[in-house]
Amino acid sequence: MGEGESCYSPPLLIPRASHLGQITITLLLSGCGRGCGSTPDGPDPTDSGPDGVYDTSPPIEARQGVATRLAVLVLDGARLEETLGGDDDWGDGWSDAWDGYTDGILPKVRSEVMPTGALIRHGYNTGVTTTTPAHGDLFTGHREPFLPLAHFDGLGQYLVHYPTLPEALRSAHQGQEGTAWIVANTAHIETVRYGLYPGLGPDLAASHEQLYENDLEADGFDQDDGRVIASARERLERGATMVLANLHQIDRAGHNQPYIYADTVASTDLELTAFHRWLAHESGFNDETLMVMIADHGRHRTVEDDAYPYTNHGCHCSGCREIPMFLWGAGIQRNVEVQLPVVLEDLTSTTAWLLGASMPYSTGLVLTDVLVGEPAVAQRRGDVRVAASGPLVAVQRWQDDRLHRSGLSVAGQDLGTPGAFQIEEPRVLSTQTSDYACWRELTLTEGAEHLPWLLECSRRALGGEWLDTDFPDEVQWPHVAPSLTSPQSGGLVLAYDNSIGEKTEGQVTADDFVIELARWSEDQGWTRSEATFPDLFYTSEPEIVSIDDELWVAFEAGLDSASARYTRQAYIYRVTWPQDGDPIWDFAYLAGTQDSTGHSYVRQAHPALATLDGALRVAWHAYDDQGVHLLITHANNPFRSTSWHTPRAVDDTAMVFGHIAPIWDSAGSLYWARQGDLLTAEVCRLEDPTALPDCQDLGVPFIDSLAATDAGAVVSASSGDGAWELIELSWLD
């Protein structure tokens, strides 16, 4: 990983159909911690001017589109204890890095900035707690398994799959350059300038200014964050409607010079306060501006026998997950504290609503408790992340409860741990004797040292009740989503990726990414095995099927740590797992970089497997500079190299939705999703590898997930109004 990355209505966003008004927001991602800020004494401490006199004019009432300008200032990697933590937060208001009380580190921000807006007391990054994935979550409002891969040879095609806010803003300005900017003294943020969503892309990317030459060297500490803030202000003065400025010096100091880390946080106090003063009183557009202060991630709190425990971040530690949040500006209440938990994606939904913009894939809630007045808000709702196996269907169901964000329904029955904060990504398997369901969930525990994602599985005999299989309570990475199969001998086998495992401290590298197998039987319970591949790096997205008792596993990976971004391909292994021994992995196939016409692709991802009469079929996403395509191949004898057919592009439109992996049904038919000519979503079916696909238009532009059933397919789709509904599709004659 790169420096700073350690363990861990209308389709607005389609430029041909988008029309947004001018935007003005300021997102100050300041790195302060949960519970940041304290309210000063005195009457009506609302909006202080440069002379210290409070502005008692009423705040602007919240409505869609009330904000018209956006700037994002990110104080990267500042821990709660070194920013705005209080005496009821971790450490009781004391910073071990500062060796003093935390309220002495950013005193001007506390006294002048914090009384002017809404303080979120419990903010969280529930995804990957490193810089690049966290900014991807914030820009898209949707967590996806996005690896923090270096980009020495350009960005390449390893990018986020969901629409980004910069793309939305530029599309609203007819693609005008200079509308959206990223300014940083790190290279990590460049990779979220734009995404791979069909119809958007590099022509709508945020402009990028990097103020630090070499992000991997330990020197260069004269590149202070004040330069980034100054550049952000200059971009706004020149008419930019969005600036994201990542102040990475804090994170860099934490990793490389931890003894000055707290001083580096303190050094931003005057610059942040001056920027807020200018924005609020001198810029000329303060009445149209929204400002949000937030951290992308925190840092470790406790590392045994380490004088500087806060050196790293990136796992499930509470110091990494708990992040500060503060909102100020048009439509935001003044001098209030919000006690309910808030996640990164909530800020995407809230700011987009205040901008009058639509981020249809954002999974966050609009934070109505920080808004002035009682505006009517259509929150995201309905059923998403559909999964199916034969007649068995499961969905993730959105909930408005900020304490319990999502639930799980399998065959109409609720599963998951009562009280869990998030329950996500169901996976199901129906066999002749049993039904199985697996999912991931996160529970927030106040004051805990670790806040881990866990993998859970249940099983029911046909006609019986769901029973917990007691999957071990071990740490999983935030995007664990197992693939399920049942060998001929019975039971259940899972394949899933992990980048954290038992590692709770220190820095995780590419070598720590593993593919894990887990086998369950009623007699023996769970047996697990971990597989690493010495010549492959950042292994992810595994898929597993079985032929008799033989297992076949596909996954994507890169060739080495430095070039994994540009060399990602799909690999297939045969796995023999004796009952009394460890699995034996044998390489079988590497998905080629060319199709049968000789067309080359620069990235392969999301391999999907199917078995039919002993043969193996494989489909995967293939990327070129035009977008995402779909390739397939098959082998009658999959372990014999000469049996594999040359890959064929069954969808070369470059409009395939990369956030939805292809999927096979039990009869060997392939399904995938793409954007059609009418800018609405289509689901395509390929019944025979040599045939042409048959596609059905959903009539709505957005699709969240796709599953194959006995009758055809079921999808979760939306018109963009926040409501997600299941649509059943059939290809019966």
Side-chain angles (χ1 to χ4, degrees):
M1 293 184 179
E3 178 270 320
E5 307 299 347
S6 52
C7 99
Y8 14 103
S9 150
L12 171 73
L13 295 173
I14 309 302
R16 289 168 284 177
S18 16
H19 298 283
L20 268 184
Q22 195 184 20
I23 309 271
T24 308
I25 274 192
T26 302
L27 286 145
L28 254 138
L29 283 82
S30 73
C32 66
R34 183 172 58 84
C36 67
S38 58
T39 302
D41 295 331
D44 194 19
T46 51
D47 191 12
S48 174
D51 56 1
V53 177
Y54 288 118
D55 180 2
T56 58
S57 61
I60 297 173
E61 189 161 348
R63 68 178 188 280
Q64 278 188 289
V66 69
T68 59
R69 191 176 301 268
L70 168 62
V72 183
L73 295 164
V74 183
L75 247 148
D76 194 306
R79 197 175 58 169
L80 170 64
E81 289 84 321
E82 286 67 61
T83 51
L84 296 169
D87 57 11
D88 57 347
D89 293 304
W90 183 280
D92 299 325
W94 182 268
S95 162
D96 57 345
W98 180 256
D99 196 22
Y101 287 105
T102 186
D103 58 7
I105 301 178
L106 296 176
K108 296 290 288 183
V109 170
R110 284 175 176 266
S111 63
E112 186 170 327
V113 179
M114 300 303 293
T116 66
L119 170 66
I120 308 300
R121 292 287 294 173
H122 304 280
Y124 295 93
N125 175 348
T126 63
V128 180
T129 54
T130 59
T131 297
T132 306
H135 282 76
D137 297 347
L138 181 66
F139 266 36
T140 64
H142 197 294
R143 290 175 28 244
E144 67 171 294
F146 190 54
L147 302 175
L149 300 178
H151 49 281
F152 302 114
D153 298 324
L155 292 181
Q157 293 301 302
Y158 194 91
L159 303 165
V160 293
H161 287 106
Y162 292 94
T164 67
L165 190 55
E167 291 171 297
L169 302 187
R170 284 201 62 189
S171 68
H173 290 266
Q174 290 74 49
Q176 178 182 349
E177 292 189 9
T179 298
W181 275 89
I182 293 176
V183 182
N185 52 1
T186 177
H188 292 315
I189 318 302
E190 184 181 9
T191 192
V192 296
R193 290 173 54 211
Y194 63 94
L196 294 169
Y197 196 81
L200 302 178
D203 290 341
L204 296 172
S207 302
H208 181 251
E209 179 183 25
Q210 186 171 327
L211 298 175
Y212 185 65
E213 292 184 359
N214 190 340
D215 208 42
L216 295 181
E217 298 294 336
D219 56 3
F221 284 89
D222 57 330
Q223 306 296 324
D224 65 84
D225 292 325
R227 291 184 58 198
V228 179
I229 296 176
S231 180
R233 173 172 169 173
E234 182 181 358
R235 299 296 175 191
L236 291 171
E237 289 176 327
R238 291 183 177 181
T241 58
M242 171 185 174
V243 176
L244 182 143
N246 179 275
L247 315 181
H248 202 73
Q249 196 66 15
I250 291 173
D251 198 31
R252 187 177 292 114
H255 286 295
N256 299 299
Q257 292 181 318
Y259 44 88
I260 66 167
Y261 154 66
D263 293 322
T264 308
V265 178
S267 71
T268 65
D269 191 34
L270 294 180
E271 284 88 350
L272 288 175
T273 306
F275 181 85
H276 178 263
R277 284 181 178 177
W278 169 77
L279 192 64
H281 302 285
E282 303 167 20
S283 65
F285 43 75
N286 59 301
D287 287 346
E288 304 170 349
T289 302
L290 170 69
M291 184 179 84
V292 180
M293 299 178 69
I294 186 176
D296 55 344
H297 59 79
R299 318 193 74 79
H300 286 283
R301 285 171 169 154
T302 59
V303 178
E304 187 176 354
D305 298 327
D306 193 333
Y308 304 108
Y310 36 83
T311 299
N312 289 313
H313 61 88
C315 67
H316 56 275
C317 72
S318 60
C320 304
R321 291 216 181 282
E322 293 178 350
I323 58 175
M325 297 179 181
F326 173 81
L327 297 90
W328 166 89
I332 301 297
Q333 295 187 57
R334 298 173 182 168
N335 195 31
V336 298
E337 290 190 3
V338 175
Q339 299 295 332
L340 292 173
V342 174
V343 297
L344 276 172
E345 302 84 70
D346 294 338
L347 297 183
T348 311
S349 294
T350 302
T351 54
W353 186 87
L354 287 165
L355 291 168
S358 172
M359 293 290 286
Y361 289 102
S362 180
T363 63
L365 290 164
V366 177
L367 302 174
T368 56
D369 47 356
V370 307
L371 302 181
V372 178
E374 299 181 356
V377 175
Q379 302 282 15
R380 51 97 178 115
R381 57 205 182 276
D383 294 334
V384 293
R385 315 315 297 167
V386 61
S389 175
L392 186 64
V393 178
V395 293
Q396 175 184 323
R397 185 158 291 160
W398 288 128
Q399 299 172 166
D400 287 341
D401 186 352
R402 293 254 288 277
L403 295 173
H404 311 291
R405 297 306 188 92
S406 52
L408 179 69
S409 175
V410 182
Q413 183 173 341
D414 293 339
L415 296 182
T417 301
F421 183 62
Q422 292 169 301
I423 303 175
E424 300 181 344
E425 290 290 346
R427 297 290 188 269
V428 294
L429 177 66
S430 182
T431 72
Q432 293 182 345
T433 60
S434 301
D435 289 334
Y436 300 93
C438 298
W439 63 91
R440 64 172 179 251
E441 58 182 46
L442 171 68
T443 299
L444 298 181
T445 304
E446 190 70 23
E449 185 176 346
H450 301 124
L451 301 172
W453 284 94
L454 300 177
L455 179 59
E456 303 288 347
C457 292
S458 287
R459 174 246 183 188
R460 70 176 182 184
L462 296 186
E465 297 293 325
W466 288 102
L467 300 174
D468 188 0
T469 63
D470 295 320
F471 192 90
D473 287 342
E474 292 188 352
V475 175
Q476 304 293 335
W477 97 300
H479 299 285
V480 60
S483 176
L484 284 60
T485 191
S486 182
Q488 187 179 53
S489 57
L492 175 68
V493 178
L494 312 181
Y496 51 96
D497 50 345
N498 202 350
S499 65
I500 294 176
E502 289 299 316
K503 201 158 192 173
T504 59
E505 301 167 345
Q507 186 164 342
V508 166
T509 67
D511 295 336
D512 294 302
F513 279 70
V514 299
I515 301 296
E516 295 185 352
L517 298 181
R519 180 169 59 192
W520 180 88
S521 68
E522 194 168 7
D523 295 334
Q524 298 182 353
W526 288 101
T527 303
R528 286 165 299 131
S529 177
E530 184 179 286
T532 58
F533 303 88
D535 298 325
L536 301 178
F537 294 84
Y538 296 103
T539 52
S540 61
E541 308 284 344
E543 172 96 352
I544 188 169
V545 296
S546 54
I547 301 177
D548 298 328
D549 277 337
E550 198 170 57
L551 304 173
W552 293 86
V553 179
F555 56 85
E556 62 171 284
L559 291 180
D560 59 61
S561 180
S563 69
R565 183 183 196 92
Y566 318 105
T567 59
R568 298 197 70 75
Q569 291 182 257
Y571 296 80
I572 300 175
Y573 280 74
R574 182 179 66 179
V575 181
T576 304
W577 194 353
Q579 290 295 324
D580 56 353
D582 295 327
I584 301 170
W585 292 71
D586 293 309
F587 172 76
Y589 181 72
L590 170 62
T593 59
Q594 290 187 338
D595 63 23
S596 56
T597 69
H599 184 79
S600 296
Y601 303 91
V602 297
R603 175 189 170 194
Q604 326 287 323
H606 308 141
L609 299 178
T611 62
L612 188 65
D613 299 328
L616 194 65
R617 296 183 179 184
V618 188
W620 65 93
H621 286 160
Y623 300 70
D624 62 14
D625 58 1
Q626 300 302 307
V628 185
H629 309 261
L630 183 68
L631 269 60
I632 64 169
T633 188
H634 65 280
N636 293 327
N637 184 348
F639 200 64
R640 192 175 65 196
S641 59
T642 57
S643 181
W644 288 93
H645 290 242
T646 303
R648 173 192 168 212
V650 297
D651 193 323
D652 59 0
T653 63
M655 303 300 280
V656 173
F657 287 122
H659 66 282
I660 298 179
I663 191 167
W664 301 87
D665 66 14
S666 58
S669 294
L670 178 67
Y671 301 82
W672 68 97
R674 69 184 186 188
Q675 186 181 97
D677 293 337
L678 300 177
L679 304 183
T680 50
E682 295 179 344
V683 172
C684 298
R685 176 179 184 257
L686 186 71
E687 188 173 5
D688 182 272
T690 63
L692 295 176
D694 183 5
C695 300
Q696 292 192 36
D697 193 322
L698 299 182
V700 294
F702 307 113
I703 177 171
D704 167 83
S705 53
L706 163 68
T709 68
D710 287 343
V714 59
V715 302
S716 175
S718 175
S719 64
D721 61 354
W724 292 92
E725 298 179 343
L726 297 184
I727 300 176
E728 295 185 2
L729 303 174
S730 175
W731 278 263
L732 298 178
D733 294 333

